[in-house]
Amino acid sequence: MNNLLNYIAGTWQEPSNGLWLDNPEPATGEIFSRIPDSGEQDIQMAVESAKKAFPIWSGMSVEERSRIMLNIAQGMKDAFDALAEAESKDQGKPLSLSRVMDIPRAIQNIEFFATEIIHFASESHGGKGVVNYTVHAPIGIVGCISPWNLPLYLFTWKIAPALATGNCVIAKPSELTPFTATLFAEICMKAGLPDGVLNIVHGSGLQAGSAIVAHPEITAISFTGGTVTGRHIASIAAPMFKKLSLELGGKNPSIIFADCDFEETVTQAVRSAFTNQGEICLCGSRILIEESLYEKFRDAFIEKVQQLKVGDPFEAGTNIGALVSKAHMEKVMSYIELAQEEGGTILCGGKIVSPEGRCKNGWFIEPTVIEGLNNSCRTNQEEIFGPVVTLQSFSNEEEALLLANGTRYGLAANVWTQHLGRAHRMANALEFGIVWVNCWLLRDLRTPFGGMKDSGVGREGGFEVLRFFTETKNVCVKF
Ligand code: NDP
């Protein structure tokens, strides 16, 4: 059994309480490693090491910090195959996806913030005999808590800007997907990251995660995960006046007008619905189709969905891998049952899959398409976060907007139309932090990223996140 250890003060550490959590492979259901079930004591050790490292790291020039981060990115490139395989084994996603999306993007996150920090300027306001200038100083010790769906991708998306701005980090990956963060620690050791600058503490959200959120010396929390967890974290951190960035759940609409580029739209709607088993916060899970196109779109969409191959993440040709855990698979299945109780018709999928061979006990569900539900039912209001989408029709732009905006979430919407004016009108009226027009998941890391309403608070990406991870101070000098 492989024990994945905590990375604290530049060294590997076992859990102080001696307790471990099993880590299974979703595709087989078999336990292949264990992680520390860390608690307050481990977080305290991490804080002590970060405190020691902070003057060293924050005292370096941005060029020195940038160089070390670029060394880390190079180490990730050297370890590309191992990282991709670890991600798929741990998370259940197709290896082909880890190779084209997760690991390249994780490397890009480190490279992007390593170079962006060099261009992070501050403002100055001149006056008569006086000058004001703004300083963006590192905060100190920050906590980064990330989820299981895009493990290394979202882990690095948080820690890279935190490190680039000179902070020391206590990071907790999801207990379900700890593997690539551990390989990442090894890479940091070799790349010359000073001890204690990054501390990775494994464990459960309730124990290790809570200890990070409640620790008085961790003064900013960057969290990505579910809305319920985000609300709980805010209730602990807000009264302590911690800086908070919350990237939460979504129930995203794909809005399809009759004047769309049909073939491209069908292809992209399938991709948006089922990439990563539908376990991406940005997946379009409510597909809204203009009435006049509804049947044609539905039939073409289903034909494509039925071609998706569910199975072993390590087999070439697999499009849909395993869901991350048995509990999550059961949750997704319970929504498929609920959809039927609510009057929905399953057009395809809806069942658990048991592939032949080594994956027969894995956690797989067929890609599932449901129609006949109204917008207010639970299936269309609650985040399922799996390979399940619903189809609804609308008669005009106004109704499309009512349906699209008619949930408590506001993360991402995608709109498909060739009509320029309509595209802009829709983008203007959609209550979502991200609107994609004629594309999906096309990312430019310089842009603000985050959700409205119950999908979160604050924006990541670009200079926005560098401002989040710094304290802003104005200095006024009279001369
Ligand atoms: P959770 O909210 O369950 O967990 C997210 C992280 O928080 C995990 O590391 C978890 O640890 C930890 N955690 C859980 N409870 C606490 C707590 N009380 N205090 C501190 N930390 C805690 O989300 P999931 O991992 O299930 O991820 C799926 C969710 O993430 C979906 O809702 C999805 O939409 C959202 N998400 C949002 C994104 C965005 O950018 N807006 C991007 C990706 C996902 P552990 O795993 O050990 O429980």
Side-chain angles (χ1 to χ4, degrees):
M1 182 74 55
N2 192 6
N3 284 345
L4 307 178
L5 301 177
N6 288 336
Y7 169 58
I8 299 175
T11 57
W12 297 116
Q13 300 283 340
E14 299 208 347
S16 334
N17 56 13
L19 300 176
W20 299 84
L21 298 168
D22 289 337
N23 183 35
E25 176 180 2
T28 61
E30 278 163 29
I31 291 156
F32 73 97
S33 62
R34 300 191 309 172
I35 59 162
D37 186 5
S38 309
E40 277 176 25
Q41 242 182 303
D42 305 282
I43 299 299
Q44 187 56 39
M45 275 167 58
V47 169
E48 293 306 327
S49 90
K51 265 160 72 176
K52 275 198 204 126
F54 181 63
I56 300 165
W57 186 241
S58 60
M60 282 184 183
S61 67
V62 287
E63 288 79 7
E64 281 174 285
R65 288 204 297 266
S66 172
R67 189 183 47 76
I68 293 173
M69 288 180 68
L70 290 173
N71 284 347
I72 295 173
Q74 185 55 50
M76 294 169 82
K77 288 178 192 169
D78 296 342
F80 189 93
D81 290 342
L83 287 170
E85 279 161 29
E87 202 68 298
S88 287
K89 189 174 178 73
D90 211 16
Q91 206 278 341
K93 67 183 71 205
L95 180 60
S96 55
L97 189 65
S98 295
R99 294 186 70 87
V100 300
M101 184 178 79
D102 293 77
I103 308 307
R105 172 58 194 275
I107 295 169
Q108 195 194 356
N109 288 339
I110 302 288
E111 284 180 333
F112 176 80
F113 289 109
T115 48
E116 190 191 43
I117 192 65
I118 294 170
H119 306 279
F120 185 38
S122 63
E123 310 83 52
S124 134
H125 302 85
K128 194 169 175 222
V130 65
V131 64
N132 282 273
Y133 63 91
T134 307
V135 178
H136 297 289
I139 297 173
I141 308 175
V142 303
C144 295
I145 301 177
S146 47
W148 48 257
N149 62 328
L150 304 171
L152 193 62
Y153 173 139
L154 290 175
F155 181 84
T156 49
W157 178 235
K158 293 190 175 304
I159 64 158
L163 294 174
T165 41
N167 298 291
C168 291
V169 177
I170 318 291
K172 192 197 90 63
S174 169
E175 70 186 87
L176 300 176
T177 51
F179 199 0
T180 45
T182 311
L183 298 180
F184 183 81
E186 252 173 59
I187 292 168
C188 291
M189 284 171 161
K190 290 187 196 143
L193 187 70
D195 296 348
V197 170
L198 172 65
N199 302 275
I200 302 174
V201 185
H202 293 293
S204 73
L206 283 181
Q207 207 165 277
S210 297
I212 291 174
V213 174
H215 199 290
E217 290 174 279
I218 303 177
T219 48
I221 303 288
S222 172
F223 169 79
T224 298
T227 294
V228 172
T229 317
R231 185 174 289 121
H232 174 73
I233 287 176
S235 76
I236 310 287
M240 298 173 83
F241 305 113
K242 296 190 182 204
K243 278 187 119 178
L244 260 183
S245 166
L246 301 173
E247 298 296 335
L248 310 176
K251 189 76 179 173
N252 311 304
S254 299
I255 308 160
I256 292 153
F257 285 95
D259 64 7
C260 66
D261 173 344
F262 186 74
E263 292 302 326
E264 173 68 2
T265 303
V266 175
T267 303
Q268 294 302 328
V270 171
R271 191 177 146 248
S272 160
F274 297 112
T275 298
N276 207 48
Q277 300 75 244
E279 296 167 327
I280 300 185
C281 54
L282 306 163
C283 277
S285 57
R286 291 184 297 139
I287 305 186
L288 313 178
I289 308 147
E290 192 167 359
E291 250 164 29
S292 58
L293 189 71
Y294 186 85
E295 283 172 18
K296 180 177 171 198
F297 180 88
R298 178 193 62 194
D299 296 347
F301 183 77
I302 291 195
E303 198 185 319
K304 266 212 172 5
V305 173
Q306 283 172 331
Q307 287 163 14
L308 296 174
K309 187 169 167 262
V310 182
D312 190 339
F314 286 90
E315 249 171 44
T318 293
N319 305 108
I320 300 203
L323 295 196
V324 74
S325 67
K326 186 160 186 275
H328 189 55
M329 179 183 77
E330 286 165 357
K331 179 187 149 191
V332 174
M333 285 308 295
S334 77
Y335 273 104
I336 294 174
E337 275 164 38
L338 174 72
Q340 293 170 93
E341 285 161 23
E342 290 182 320
T345 305
I346 296 183
L347 299 174
C348 70
K351 296 197 195 68
I352 286 177
V353 181
S354 189
E356 299 269 295
R358 75 168 201 114
C359 294
K360 66 178 187 309
N361 296 321
W363 305 314
F364 299 85
I365 295 183
E366 292 172 336
T368 302
V369 183
I370 302 167
E371 72 172 356
L373 291 168
N374 64 38
N375 205 46
S376 59
C377 69
R378 283 183 54 205
T379 311
N380 273 329
Q381 289 293 319
E382 296 176 14
E383 185 182 41
I384 300 174
F385 214 53
V388 180
V389 297
T390 63
L391 308 183
Q392 294 178 77
S393 71
F394 62 84
S395 54
N396 53 31
E397 271 179 50
E398 204 181 8
E399 194 186 2
L401 278 170
L402 272 178
L403 294 175
N405 289 338
T407 79
R408 63 197 180 94
Y409 292 109
L411 188 54
N414 48 99
V415 181
W416 300 86
T417 177
Q418 307 252 46
H419 190 299
L420 185 64
R422 168 180 287 147
H424 284 292
R425 277 197 300 278
M426 292 295 291
N428 186 50
L430 283 163
E431 295 161 359
F432 293 83
I434 300 152
V435 178
W436 277 296
V437 178
N438 295 331
C439 58
W440 177 73
L441 202 53
L442 187 56
R443 294 278 293 118
D444 179 331
L445 304 192
R446 294 169 300 180
T447 60
F449 178 91
M452 296 181 184
K453 294 159 54 177
D454 283 11
S455 290
V457 178
R459 293 292 179 272
E460 298 185 316
F463 290 127
E464 302 263 347
V465 72
L466 300 187
R467 289 191 197 99
F468 172 77
F469 278 121
T470 49
E471 282 293 2
T472 305
K473 183 193 290 175
N474 186 67
V475 180
C476 176
V477 182
K478 186 167 180 278
F479 57 88

